[in-house]
Amino acid sequence: MSLKRITQFFNPSSVAVIGASNISTRAGFVVMRNLLQGGFKGPIMPVTPSHTAVHGVLAYPSIADLPKVPDLAVICTNKNTLIDIIEQLGELGCKTAIVIADGLSGEQKSALKACAQAKQVTLLGPNCLGLLIPHIGLNASFSHTVASPGKIAFVSQSAAVCSTILDWAKNKEIGFSYFVSVGDCLDINFNELLDFLGRDAKTKAILLYIDNIEDIRGFISAARAAAFSKPVIAIKTGKTSAGALAAEIHTGGKQSSDAVYDALFQRAGMLRVNDLRELFAATQTLAMHPKLLKVEQLTILTNGGGPGVMAVDELIQSSGKLAELSIETRNALNKVIPQSETTSNPVDIFGDSAPGRYKQALEILLHAKEVKNLLIIHTPSALAPSEDYANIIVETLQKLPKMARPYVITNFMGEDASYAARKVCSNNAIPTYRTPEGAVGAFMHLVTYRRNQKHLTQTPESNTDDAKINKVAAKTLINEFIDDGQSYLPTHQASQVLNHYGIKCIQTEVAYTPTEAKEQAIELGFPVALKLISPSIASKSEVGGVVLNLNDANEVEQTAFAMLIRIKNTYPDAVIEGFSLQKMAPRAGANELRIAIKTEPNFGPVILLGEAGTGLEYAQAAVALPPLNMNLAKYLIAAAHDKGVLKERILPEKVDKYRLCALLTRISQLVIDQPDISSMELNPILASNGQFLVLDATMTLNRYQTQSNRKRLSIRPYPIELVEVVTLKNNTKATLRPIKPEDEQAHKAFDESLNKEDRYKRFFGELPQFNHDQLAKMTQIDYDREMAFIVCQRFEGKTRTLGVSRVIMDPDNLHAEFAIVVRSDCQGLGLGRILMSAAISHCKRQGVESVEGITLPENTGMIELARKLGFKISRDFEEGSINMVLKLNNE
């Protein structure tokens, strides 16, 4: 990706319209009209051999006749002319172009992309509406209306949705920083736009309309970075199989399960909405309140009991929470609401409440310490116009300092009687909605966004299960199976792999004939379970391929014969490899789970969690993207409960969730370590007494082939290959490794250990100690974009951080900024050289061209170290700092 070329795209000083026209039904007519009416200050140059002037502007017969090289070309011709036009633009030196044409075949798209790359022309589209940048007056689109300047960026693959959003935004008086129709994403894609918009100071929130994503790993990386600084809201089509097919036809690209996209958006800290109505509501809410909620509890003030109940029902059904009012607040409200002596939440002030009582109740709630989020519901009243009540809300809020106000949303019910009231709220940046359900839904968007954001700032617990993993032995075993031509592993073989990851499976014996099954059963002891071994049948229990509680040898033999006959009649072509036998495990009082791995297009492997006995459908499981740590495993379990695919059973003992998290992290590690496992199912898993026993396991193997243009995993796992033991100058051993999310507490202690002088040298001033969110950003890093190396040692039973080096690459991966700091009482041990050498080596591996850093002149130790490592040192007299630059040879 390239941030540089996107920046050029969004700052044109001149525009050429290729295929400009005076015929009103042509795209070239609309684009020229929009450019001229938008207020763009630069030259607008129509290119057409058919007209001497377009909309009164002198036209040029060909691209070669243009008087200057345009910064941006808008191509409005049909698809068959595109290759020739891109070649001409490239020859002229134009580097950016918008392609409006649609209906390109796969072959035409490939040819267009190859031509653009060869001519170094960046493309937006094809099949797009165009580009609007309101703050510079640029409307390089064939939209039917204009966009006002604002703080929201909108990016969409659907041109029709763009038109709808523009129409809605005009009615709501919502403006945009950028409005981008990406169409088929042939060249410029969501990843690059997220990188640009995430850094753009004019953009406070980002909205995405997505049909499909090709580069999942790049998208998650860019979205996560953007979501750290501002709300990112997405609507993703293709929730059904028919919808997914329609989306694939619309923009191309393979479609994955919608549940996997849910996991993606959650993991990236984004907010997903389901439809345009929700997108509009979420836009209005987050545009007016881009900061995170402090708490999730909601207080409701209403002048009608029915609407209040409707709001509560919607809140609880959406997994929301009601705030509990304090005794002091309830007593204060009871004094101003004469009809009630037992005020509670929702606070009903009744329909006959005059504006004065309304204002009193509002003031009490706004000053109540427990009220952090307030929904005000108003039904039309005969006592005063709704607009009067809206003005009371505005005036009362304005008396409070912004930092002391609860978050307030309003619902003025009705149409004619409430329109003016909603207008008053909107004009004063107070979100307002037509119905109680709509208001609560908008509030829950903020709650969901808050929860997803916590994924980015949660500190995982350490997991000591690494000792149970022997990935080399597992890899050797898998290679042996593949070399023997085995692509399907039943329980007795899959268990051998699982054992190397500390995953316990029940003892399983194999028989190839009913008579052998009889003999194996006698050796195992009764009762036994008899299961068919067949790679041809996915769910054996559904076809009678699993029989439990067989109590004698003859019964086992007869059942095996009957099973063969039944399968032969039902599935005559099925491959039967034999039978597996297991002694019946005590299942009374045990929970039964299912964990599976599937490989999805674009995403790679995903992890599913649900109840035993269900199929491999996503509707019956919660989904997560590896890698998992203990916290992410907790979220997966919580998601399974919320979705209803993992129920709390009335059993003597509940599932040990901590140990289930540990099991899920080991399965995640299995996914990371063993790319040749394309799918796996553990079903059922008995959970009892804090232990997990797999009764049935299957794996499918397929030799993984590295793809040059695609990463296997959606998220880069912890780079364990970079861990090494180093020797310090005091002859003690220490560990040099990339930082982990689990290092937050050690990093906090490290920060607190720095003296004032070292903090001043590092941060160019006196800064307070880092808080949780800041520490989370330092420890929960995206290893594709940045790297932080630490040197640590065990000290008094704890891991102590001695020093940190950090490098952050730009999105183009050309330059990296470095920073380094060593614990104040550990200086002089050679830590600086160790940490800097690790950072430089990492940048070389990543193909970075230069490493740069800044320090103060008094930091002589850092300056001397940089000089010894080959950095060019220069002084910035204006800034009073020292610049250090190291050019890397990456041949």
Side-chain angles (χ1 to χ4, degrees), residues 747 750 761-764 778 787-790 803-809 816-822 831-832 835-840 843 851-855 859 862 865 871 884:
H747 207 67
F750 170 75
K761 288 178 181 177
R762 169 64 185 88
F763 303 114
F764 292 22
M778 293 177 180
M787 182 58 71
F789 288 98
I790 64 171
V804 183
S805 64
R806 190 177 299 270
V807 285
I808 301 176
M809 280 74 77
E817 294 183 9
F818 82 88
I820 182 171
V821 60
V822 173
L831 288 164
L835 288 163
M836 272 307 302
S837 297
I840 292 168
C843 289
V851 182
E852 304 169 6
I854 303 173
T855 191
N859 194 357
M862 181 70 252
L865 172 63
F871 283 80
M884 302 168 285

Side-chain angles (χ1 to χ4, degrees), residues 539 541-542 592-594 610-615 620 681 683-684:
S539 182
S541 58
E542 294 180 5
E592 298 190 17
L593 312 175
R594 172 178 69 95
E611 289 195 330
T614 57
Q620 299 169 316
E681 184 174 9
N683 182 20

Side-chain angles (χ1 to χ4, degrees), residues 79-313:
K79 61 184 180 181
N80 296 319
T81 64
L82 295 177
I83 299 293
D84 182 50
I85 288 172
I86 294 298
E87 288 179 344
Q88 292 181 51
L89 289 172
E91 293 296 329
L92 186 67
C94 178
K95 298 300 181 184
T96 56
I98 298 171
V99 181
I100 303 292
D102 60 8
L104 276 72
S105 66
E107 186 178 343
Q108 287 174 317
K109 288 180 184 179
S110 297
L112 178 60
K113 186 174 182 178
C115 177
Q117 289 177 340
K119 296 297 180 180
Q120 296 183 320
V121 178
T122 300
L123 300 182
L124 181 67
N127 188 20
C128 76
L129 186 78
L131 171 68
L132 294 87
I133 309 177
H135 64 270
I136 63 171
L138 181 73
N139 185 354
S141 75
F142 69 100
S143 65
H144 70 291
T145 187
V146 298
S148 302
K151 298 179 179 180
I152 298 172
F154 182 75
V155 183
S156 172
Q157 283 184 294
S158 168
V161 169
C162 286
S163 298
T164 304
I165 294 287
L166 279 172
D167 208 53
W168 168 83
K170 187 175 183 180
N171 177 265
K172 294 289 184 181
E173 297 182 359
I174 290 177
F176 297 93
S177 55
Y178 300 92
F179 197 95
V180 189
S181 174
V182 292
D184 293 345
C185 293
L186 190 66
D187 189 6
I188 290 179
N189 56 33
F190 286 108
N191 314 352
E192 295 171 283
L193 292 168
L194 281 167
D195 273 320
F196 173 82
L197 297 171
R199 291 165 169 79
D200 180 62
K202 294 181 288 295
T203 300
K204 302 303 181 186
I206 304 169
L207 311 183
L208 308 175
Y209 181 93
I210 301 168
D211 281 330
N212 75 290
I213 302 169
E214 281 291 306
D215 180 8
I216 294 292
R217 183 149 158 180
F219 178 88
I220 292 179
S221 186
R224 189 173 183 271
F228 255 126
S229 58
K230 59 194 67 174
V232 183
I233 311 168
I235 179 171
K236 167 69 178 69
T237 58
K239 293 179 74 69
T240 64
S241 56
L245 178 60
E248 189 171 328
I249 292 170
H250 181 218
T251 55
K254 296 178 181 178
Q255 290 289 320
S256 294
S257 166
D258 192 66
V260 183
Y261 274 102
D262 270 338
L264 177 158
F265 295 130
Q266 187 181 64
R267 190 72 174 269
M270 301 165 63
L271 171 65
R272 182 183 187 179
V273 296
N274 294 312
D275 51 43
L276 287 177
R277 179 189 61 80
E278 276 195 72
L279 184 65
F280 296 155
T283 301
Q284 186 175 358
T285 307
L286 285 171
M288 295 180 179
H289 186 80
K291 294 183 179 180
L292 285 180
L293 297 176
K294 295 179 180 177
V295 299
E296 296 182 4
Q297 288 78 7
L298 179 65
T299 303
I300 300 170
L301 172 65
T302 177
N303 70 337
V309 174
M310 293 163 66
V312 172
D313 283 345

Side-chain angles (χ1 to χ4, degrees), residues 715-849:
I715 300 168
R716 183 175 178 178
Y718 181 76
I720 195 170
E721 67 277 5
L722 301 182
V723 178
E724 62 176 295
V725 175
V726 294
T727 303
L728 307 184
K729 286 186 176 180
N730 61 0
N731 290 322
T732 62
K733 300 291 184 181
T735 301
L736 169 71
R737 62 172 173 82
I739 203 165
K740 294 180 179 180
E742 291 88 346
D743 290 320
E744 182 179 326
Q745 288 306 311
H747 207 67
K748 180 181 180 183
F750 170 75
D751 180 51
E752 292 171 347
S753 76
L754 300 177
N755 60 37
K756 285 187 177 181
E757 182 182 355
D758 287 332
R759 287 183 65 80
Y760 183 83
K761 288 178 181 177
R762 169 64 185 88
F763 303 114
F764 292 22
E766 293 187 11
L767 289 181
Q769 301 294 329
F770 294 125
N771 61 31
H772 162 65
D773 286 351
Q774 292 168 321
L775 288 166
K777 290 180 181 179
M778 293 177 180
T779 54
Q780 298 187 38
I781 65 174
D782 180 349
Y783 299 112
D784 272 335
R785 289 173 169 252
E786 59 183 309
M787 182 58 71
F789 288 98
I790 64 171
V791 174
C792 55
Q793 281 181 332
R794 295 292 289 176
F795 182 77
E796 296 182 351
K798 294 182 179 180
T799 298
R800 184 174 67 158
T801 300
L802 309 184
V804 183
S805 64
R806 190 177 299 270
V807 285
I808 301 176
M809 280 74 77
D810 65 12
D812 299 336
N813 208 41
L814 298 177
H815 308 288
E817 294 183 9
F818 82 88
I820 182 171
V821 60
V822 173
R823 188 180 170 100
S824 299
D825 57 0
C826 292
Q827 294 178 8
L829 298 178
L831 288 164
R833 179 178 285 274
I834 291 170
L835 288 163
M836 272 307 302
S837 297
I840 292 168
S841 296
H842 177 72
C843 289
K844 287 182 177 180
R845 289 190 295 269
Q846 296 296 110
V848 173
E849 293 182 1

Side-chain angles (χ1 to χ4, degrees), residues 481-495:
F481 284 132
I482 294 176
D483 291 343
D484 288 342
Q486 289 187 259
S487 59
Y488 171 82
L489 303 185
T491 303
H492 69 284
Q493 293 175 321
S495 63

